[in-house]
Amino acid sequence: MSLIKSIQQRLNQKKRIQGWPGLIEAYRPWLPVTESTPVITLQEGSTPLIPIHSISERIGRNVKVYAKYDGLNPTGSFKDRGMTMAISKAKESGCEAVICASTGNTSASAAAYAKRAGMKAFVLIPDGYVAQGKLAQALVYGAEVLAIKGNFDNALDIVRELSNKYPITLVNSVNPFRLEGQKTAAFEIIDTLGEAPDWLCIPMGNAGNITAYWMGFLEYKKANKSKKLPRMMGFQAAGSAPLVFNKKIENPETIATAIRIGNPVNKEKAILVKESSNGDFLDVTDEEIIEAYKILGQNEGIFCEPASAASIAGLLKRKNEVPNNATIVCVLTGNGLKDPDCAIKNNDAVFHTGLEADIQTVAKTMGF
Ligand code: F0G
């Protein structure tokens, strides 16, 4: 065997052992990184695109529905895609501390990546409105957590001002590197399906993610990796739907605390995405969100957080408008384990408690 061939084989083997390198290495030519950018990664990305038959069946007409399960990222949400970029670029610029406002997932992700980079992380959260799993993550990753008597919108105003006044990098989605990282989810969808879907259904809060997906779809289309562009269908919780009702919501409320946002910072960009993709925005009630959440759990074995289920709830609400034979991707932005309180309160499980520890009792309770 020639020397070159044997080196090549060894390199290939190394690649196989190391597996997926994280999205910066996987999509390096598409991202604003250079050889001198330190890559801070937890090997995020490459999340599964899972066919969800029970939703396809509910729509019928040979429509195929897939879930882009981004809750399987390292900290359990799509935020890791943006954070690997934002933190790598912050590190490259010599920054020593980052800050964000968050409904929970951004804080978990920022904390994890900042710590991995050897930086300090400060997170501002609305006191009492962050799901337990997310708070637990920020604490375990060692962020400094500042809970304010206000909502996400108030927290974002504060961190934007802080990052202007003090030497600290803002890693909310106003940071352009966040969207660059998040656009890779659109690349992965096209790489898997071989084409863009007809519809992309996505929950919206601050509307960074819908903007990032659209960037990704546009870039791949321009490079001839796909022939079409999807209609971008954005969904918000009814009590927290500034983009649907086209007005600021002073006191947003919803069970989907991740998207409890009344004044989205990426509003103008999101409206542009809607218009240029011939898409639409719609609100879904908390009841509809929970119904979709249960369908995913009980029929598909997929546990997402309530905000993510808004994409399925929205699709079901608009099912009559779906064209025959369409391919639809619903983005499941966060893992169900993030919000155990919601799960315990909202399920149809049979749960027997306080049983005597003997086989007769257990068998009898089981119906034998
Ligand atoms: N889904 C989940 C699970 C989220 O955590 C968020 C946003 C969204 C959807 C909406 O994404 O803001 O880009 O439109 N969470 C932010 C946070 C606000 O602080 O974790 P968006």
XYZ file of all heavy atoms in Angstrom, residues 282-318:
278
model
N -49.191 33.077 12.887
C -50.489 32.737 13.493
C -50.287 32.471 14.976
O -49.215 32.014 15.392
C -51.045 31.477 12.812
C -52.434 31.020 13.240
C -53.502 31.897 12.590
C -52.685 29.564 12.847
N -51.341 32.751 15.746
C -51.254 32.456 17.182
C -51.928 31.126 17.479
O -52.869 30.718 16.801
C -51.904 33.570 18.007
C -53.368 33.749 17.686
O -53.692 33.889 16.490
O -54.192 33.718 18.610
N -51.419 30.457 18.518
C -52.024 29.201 18.991
C -52.250 29.332 20.498
O -51.432 29.942 21.198
C -51.116 27.971 18.697
C -51.162 27.616 17.229
C -49.674 28.189 19.119
N -53.360 28.791 20.970
C -53.680 28.933 22.390
C -52.832 27.963 23.215
O -52.288 26.983 22.679
C -55.165 28.602 22.653
O -55.368 27.221 22.328
C -56.094 29.471 21.832
N -52.766 28.204 24.509
C -52.032 27.284 25.387
C -52.643 25.881 25.307
O -51.921 24.882 25.354
C -52.052 27.796 26.838
C -51.011 28.899 27.071
O -50.367 29.328 26.093
O -50.856 29.324 28.240
N -53.967 25.805 25.163
C -54.630 24.488 25.067
C -54.154 23.760 23.798
O -53.895 22.559 23.821
C -56.166 24.634 25.029
C -56.792 25.115 26.335
C -56.492 26.596 26.638
O -56.369 27.402 25.684
O -56.355 26.928 27.841
N -54.078 24.482 22.711
C -53.619 23.863 21.452
C -52.149 23.428 21.559
O -51.756 22.382 21.032
C -53.808 24.840 20.280
C -55.271 25.017 19.907
C -55.558 26.256 19.061
O -54.765 27.222 19.081
O -56.604 26.269 18.396
N -51.363 24.233 22.250
C -49.948 23.885 22.456
C -49.850 22.587 23.253
O -49.099 21.667 22.889
C -49.205 25.038 23.189
C -49.013 26.230 22.241
C -47.864 24.559 23.745
C -48.408 27.473 22.883
N -50.617 22.490 24.319
C -50.553 21.292 25.167
C -51.084 20.061 24.420
O -50.560 18.957 24.557
C -51.297 21.523 26.514
C -50.517 22.548 27.356
C -51.490 20.218 27.282
C -49.063 22.177 27.685
N -52.086 20.256 23.593
C -52.595 19.123 22.815
C -51.493 18.579 21.887
O -51.252 17.365 21.818
C -53.805 19.572 21.995
C -54.657 18.406 21.516
C -55.729 18.866 20.548
O -56.281 19.966 20.737
O -55.979 18.106 19.583
N -50.799 19.484 21.220
C -49.708 19.065 20.315
C -48.569 18.409 21.108
O -47.983 17.408 20.680
C -49.185 20.279 19.543
N -48.274 18.961 22.249
C -47.226 18.450 23.168
C -47.538 17.008 23.553
O -46.664 16.133 23.539
C -47.265 19.394 24.364
C -46.440 19.129 25.588
C -45.103 19.516 25.646
C -47.024 18.607 26.748
C -44.366 19.370 26.821
C -46.295 18.461 27.920
C -44.970 18.836 27.946
O -44.248 18.698 29.115
N -48.821 16.760 23.831
C -49.216 15.397 24.223
C -49.179 14.441 23.031
O -48.774 13.290 23.165
C -50.627 15.410 24.816
C -50.706 16.037 26.197
C -52.131 15.881 26.698
C -52.376 16.552 28.004
N -53.809 16.527 28.347
N -49.601 14.904 21.879
C -49.564 14.038 20.682
C -48.124 13.587 20.428
O -47.854 12.405 20.197
C -50.107 14.776 19.421
C -51.590 15.084 19.561
C -49.852 13.961 18.148
C -52.140 15.971 18.442
N -47.194 14.523 20.492
C -45.786 14.180 20.238
C -45.274 13.161 21.245
O -44.579 12.214 20.891
C -44.909 15.435 20.297
C -44.959 16.347 19.087
C -44.145 17.604 19.343
C -44.421 15.637 17.838
N -45.615 13.363 22.502
C -45.156 12.451 23.545
C -45.791 11.078 23.394
O -45.092 10.056 23.285
N -47.120 11.056 23.346
C -47.850 9.784 23.395
C -47.788 8.993 22.087
O -47.785 7.776 22.098
C -49.327 10.035 23.723
C -49.531 10.524 25.147
C -50.950 11.026 25.381
O -51.868 10.707 24.628
N -51.129 11.823 26.406
N -47.787 9.685 20.972
C -47.854 8.959 19.692
C -46.505 8.816 19.001
O -46.340 7.971 18.125
C -48.798 9.660 18.704
C -50.213 9.711 19.228
O -50.534 9.041 20.207
N -51.049 10.500 18.602
N -45.562 9.659 19.361
C -44.291 9.649 18.624
C -43.077 9.361 19.495
O -41.972 9.194 18.984
C -44.074 11.002 17.917
C -45.182 11.384 16.946
C -45.223 10.504 15.705
O -44.251 9.768 15.452
O -46.236 10.543 14.993
N -43.258 9.387 20.804
C -42.102 9.192 21.684
C -41.140 10.367 21.623
O -39.940 10.205 21.804
N -41.690 11.530 21.357
C -40.837 12.739 21.292
C -41.285 13.709 22.373
O -42.455 14.100 22.431
C -40.931 13.409 19.904
C -40.400 12.468 18.806
C -40.151 14.726 19.890
C -40.545 13.004 17.403
N -40.347 14.078 23.214
C -40.634 14.946 24.359
C -39.985 16.309 24.085
O -38.767 16.437 24.101
C -40.025 14.285 25.605
C -40.351 14.917 26.926
C -41.437 15.775 27.090
C -39.573 14.620 28.043
C -41.726 16.326 28.328
C -39.848 15.166 29.284
C -40.927 16.028 29.426
N -40.839 17.282 23.792
C -40.300 18.627 23.544
C -40.866 19.567 24.592
O -41.791 19.219 25.315
C -40.652 19.098 22.141
S -42.408 19.420 21.903
N -40.331 20.767 24.652
C -40.896 21.705 25.611
C -42.114 22.398 24.988
O -42.277 22.379 23.762
C -39.841 22.675 26.124
C -39.249 23.616 25.111
C -38.360 24.665 25.809
O -38.920 25.549 26.441
O -37.120 24.558 25.720
N -42.980 23.008 25.824
C -44.233 23.564 25.289
C -44.020 24.558 24.138
O -44.762 24.509 23.144
C -44.866 24.256 26.494
C -44.224 23.676 27.695
C -42.910 23.109 27.295
N -43.025 25.425 24.244
C -42.804 26.410 23.167
C -42.589 25.711 21.829
O -43.071 26.166 20.789
C -41.595 27.283 23.490
N -41.885 24.586 21.861
C -41.594 23.866 20.616
C -42.863 23.270 20.018
O -43.022 23.234 18.792
C -40.593 22.743 20.885
O -39.486 23.223 21.591
N -43.755 22.814 20.887
C -45.004 22.204 20.408
C -45.871 23.215 19.670
O -46.770 22.835 18.914
C -45.768 21.589 21.581
N -45.577 24.510 19.845
C -46.339 25.537 19.120
C -46.210 25.352 17.607
O -47.141 25.670 16.856
C -45.863 26.931 19.522
N -45.079 24.805 17.146
C -44.917 24.628 15.693
C -45.875 23.544 15.175
O -46.433 23.670 14.085
C -43.466 24.299 15.327
O -43.068 23.074 15.901
N -46.093 22.506 15.982
C -47.023 21.440 15.596
C -48.470 21.941 15.731
O -49.307 21.720 14.842
C -46.833 20.195 16.503
C -45.389 19.687 16.453
C -47.836 19.098 16.142
C -44.995 18.965 15.201
N -48.729 22.640 16.832
C -50.081 23.177 17.052
C -50.471 24.097 15.901
O -51.594 24.039 15.388
C -50.128 23.926 18.376
N -49.524 24.917 15.478
C -49.792 25.846 14.388
C -50.050 25.121 13.079
O -50.981 25.459 12.337
N -49.260 24.104 12.812
C -49.460 23.328 11.578
C -50.846 22.677 11.585
O -51.567 22.723 10.574
C -48.365 22.259 11.447
C -48.580 21.220 10.353
C -48.655 21.868 8.966
C -47.474 20.161 10.370
N -51.231 22.090 12.726
C -52.538 21.430 12.790
C -53.665 22.445 12.574
O -54.668 22.153 11.929
C -52.710 20.704 14.131
C -51.837 19.444 14.289
C -51.985 18.849 15.686
C -52.171 18.396 13.217
N -53.460 23.647 13.089
C -54.476 24.687 12.928
C -54.635 25.088 11.453
O -55.697 25.500 11.025
C -54.057 25.897 13.763
C -55.214 26.723 14.262
C -54.774 27.609 15.402
C -55.916 28.522 15.833
N -55.640 29.193 17.092
N -53.549 24.984 10.710
C -53.591 25.415 9.302
C -53.598 24.242 8.336
O -53.285 24.399 7.149
C -52.365 26.277 9.001
C -52.238 27.416 9.962
C -51.564 28.564 9.355
N -52.396 29.244 8.400
C -52.297 30.542 8.158
N -51.442 31.267 8.801
N -53.053 31.111 7.251
